[in-house]
Amino acid sequence: MERTTIDLWVGIFAAAGMAAILGLAMKVGNLTSSSVGETYTVTAAFENIGGLKARAPVKSAGVVVGRVDGIRFDSKTFEAVVTLKLDKRYPFPTDTEANIYTAGLLGEQYVGLEIAGLEDSNLKEGDKIKRTQDAVVLEKMISQFLYSKAAETPTDASK
Amino acid sequence: MFSGLLTKVANVLRGIGHKLVDQLWRFGGAVRFSGYVLLYSGESFRRLHLTIREIYFTGVMSLIIILVSAFFVGMVLALQGYNTLQKYGSSEAIGVLVALSLVRELGPVVTALLFAGRAGTAITAEIGLMKATEQLSAMEMMAVSPIARVVAPRFWAGVISMPLLAALFSMVGVLGGYLVAVPLIGVDNGAFWSQMQANVDFREDIVNGVIKSVVFGVACTMIALFEGFDAPPTAEGVSRATTRTVVNSSLAVLALDFIMTSFMINP
């Protein structure tokens, strides 16, 4: 075969391969919106984080506003310290509450930010979110439910 | 009686030792061969048209089989995945399932297996026949190094082609999965892509897939080249070498895949 034809086909092949890698990165991996953009870091301490993992989304009003950057255990306070990377475009007041929620019944866990709106100053780089709510542990919830049921049964029977 | 038994045991041991030394000798040859290929690689970039010609034969000519298999693999993944996922009421996760299995595992591995069957055998047979018809010796007579002229361009062509083929495989596989999941089964289009994009990570999944395919490319091409170069210069020798290329490449790919996955998947 002639050399120019071979060159052409190899060129097409290389371009298609590169396009496939780029397409995977953009369309499948969603590189464009996940990591780029300026962020600021805040921390929050939880007594129990349940199954929260690094890279889990941080949502406010259902919108993803950041990601969980890291999780470590503080051996002085015996709490889990979660580092959150939040998008610079979204400032939050200092009295924001961080909760750990579960997406769906058994889905992955994420951090939800709820705003009380009483304070005027906003969270800055390195700040700590003071008000937090732990993850709901299913076993704890069931045992609480059972205890409360057991407590109210005799009053029902005495009627 | 006793000494007869002793000689029998000694013969068995001698047989094992002979096999082992032979294998070690061959392995040493393979390592030396790889070293020479890398040493003469400069030549294959200085005379780029040789490498481009080989990319045409190993990469472009493998496109059809890779793309068609990718399409079918993607479609089957979507069908099978949907069948199981809908039992747990999470059929929207089909996009994640298809994309992750393709990008992490099936893309690089199946491409490498097909590549060994399609391009590796061709390389081995070609070089084996060149050796059998004494073309390689003729080159040496003319002071042209056969490793620089014949082997190194094929090596780099394989190493360049493999990641491109694997990326195309993953992309076409995702398209095949999309075609089955969205228009055929009726999974929601937005859920299919958004679940996929939320759960496929660029560094963790896509880059690791590309790393895998590069390693497989090196392994498959090097095995094919060495088997061809090492083949006894007879018709039978070349046919045996071709078989060994497919068997050894497939085993090497699967073993390397396990090792690399165990390093990549740990947190």
Side-chain angles (χ1 to χ4, degrees):
Chain A
M1 200 184 284
E2 229 176 285
R3 188 159 147 198
T4 46
T5 334
I6 289 180
D7 284 354
L8 177 67
W9 276 107
V10 171
I12 292 173
F13 169 58
M18 292 291 173
I21 295 181
L22 211 68
L24 283 175
M26 294 300 170
K27 188 78 183 169
V28 179
N30 201 19
L31 188 63
T32 41
S33 69
S34 64
S35 55
V36 235
E38 293 196 19
T39 56
Y40 62 101
T41 312
V42 296
T43 58
F46 296 91
E47 265 173 34
N48 190 339
I49 57 163
L52 189 75
K53 292 190 181 65
R55 292 197 49 78
V58 178
K59 296 183 186 179
S60 185
V63 181
V64 178
V65 296
R67 299 232 165 243
V68 172
D69 194 43
I71 297 165
R72 63 186 173 81
F73 183 69
D74 189 337
S75 51
K76 290 213 178 68
T77 56
F78 301 107
E79 283 179 329
V81 178
V82 177
T83 318
L84 309 174
K85 262 201 155 81
L86 302 177
D87 199 317
K88 269 257 163 68
R89 287 176 296 173
Y90 308 119
F92 286 96
T94 43
D95 59 351
T96 300
E97 185 177 344
N99 305 317
I100 296 181
Y101 293 126
T102 310
L105 188 59
L106 297 166
E108 63 166 352
Q109 293 189 297
Y110 66 93
V111 177
L113 297 180
E114 267 161 39
I115 292 99
L118 301 174
E119 302 258 350
D120 281 338
S121 55
N122 285 335
L123 285 171
K124 291 188 300 291
E125 170 81 30
D127 274 1
K128 187 177 173 191
I129 296 177
K130 288 176 195 76
R131 299 198 303 142
T132 60
Q133 197 180 13
D134 298 334
V136 175
V137 179
L138 208 57
E139 289 89 334
K140 249 187 201 168
M141 210 165 69
I142 290 173
S143 69
Q144 272 173 2
F145 174 73
L146 288 181
Y147 273 123
S148 64
K149 264 285 179 219
E152 71 188 39
T153 325
T155 52
D156 284 349
S158 65
K159 261 187 215 166
Chain B
M1 165 68 193
F2 185 69
S3 71
L5 191 71
L6 209 62
T7 31
K8 261 185 194 161
V9 171
N11 272 340
V12 170
L13 285 178
R14 197 172 294 136
I16 294 173
H18 185 72
K19 276 246 169 76
L20 191 70
V21 169
D22 255 15
Q23 286 300 319
L24 273 180
W25 195 254
R26 231 176 100 76
F27 184 72
V31 172
R32 263 167 54 97
F33 177 77
S34 313
Y36 273 119
V37 172
L38 291 181
L39 201 66
Y40 284 108
S41 299
E43 197 76 7
S44 60
F45 288 108
R46 201 158 348 124
R47 296 160 80 184
L48 205 61
H49 67 276
L50 288 177
T51 312
I52 287 178
R53 216 181 95 90
E54 295 310 325
I55 292 180
Y56 180 79
F57 284 116
T58 51
V60 179
M61 300 296 263
S62 310
L63 267 182
I64 305 265
I65 184 172
I66 298 281
L67 295 187
V68 173
S69 339
F71 197 65
F72 280 103
V73 166
M75 290 201 293
V76 167
L77 264 181
L79 272 179
Q80 291 279 14
Y82 179 77
N83 200 18
T84 306
L85 282 177
Q86 57 123 344
K87 283 183 193 149
Y88 301 97
S90 50
S91 52
E92 293 80 29
I94 186 83
V96 193
L97 179 110
V98 170
L100 278 188
S101 17
L102 277 167
V103 170
R104 279 188 188 165
E105 285 297 329
L106 290 175
V109 172
V110 177
T111 309
L113 295 178
L114 291 172
F115 184 80
R118 167 65 186 73
T121 50
I123 291 174
T124 307
E126 196 182 5
I127 293 183
L129 268 174
M130 277 183 170
K131 197 183 172 196
T133 51
E134 298 186 332
Q135 293 180 40
L136 296 184
S137 315
M139 275 184 198
E140 267 178 83
M141 287 291 167
M142 295 187 285
V144 175
S145 161
I147 293 197
R149 182 73 173 69
V150 174
V151 175
R154 282 172 175 71
F155 173 70
W156 285 106
V159 173
I160 293 168
S161 299
M162 241 320 277
L164 298 177
L165 287 173
L168 281 168
F169 189 101
S170 302
M171 198 68 229
V172 173
V174 168
L175 272 182
Y178 167 81
L179 279 185
V180 165
V182 177
L184 202 68
I185 297 179
V187 176
D188 181 55
N189 185 24
F192 183 87
W193 291 111
S194 70
Q195 286 258 341
M196 186 189 291
Q197 290 169 351
N199 287 292
V200 179
D201 185 58
F202 179 71
R203 173 68 196 82
E204 290 282 302
D205 300 320
I206 296 176
V207 172
N208 277 353
V210 173
I211 291 173
K212 271 187 184 178
S213 59
V214 172
V215 173
F216 294 162
V218 171
C220 281
T221 327
M222 204 50 114
I223 288 172
L225 288 169
F226 177 69
E227 293 293 354
F229 209 74
D230 193 51
T234 57
E236 197 197 357
V238 174
S239 88
R240 283 231 181 121
T242 313
T243 313
R244 265 209 306 272
T245 298
V246 177
V247 174
N248 289 354
S249 306
S250 310
L251 291 178
V253 163
L254 295 173
L256 282 173
D257 182 47
F258 175 74
I259 294 169
M260 279 194 285
T261 308
S262 65
F263 275 108
M264 285 168 178
I265 220 146
N266 273 355

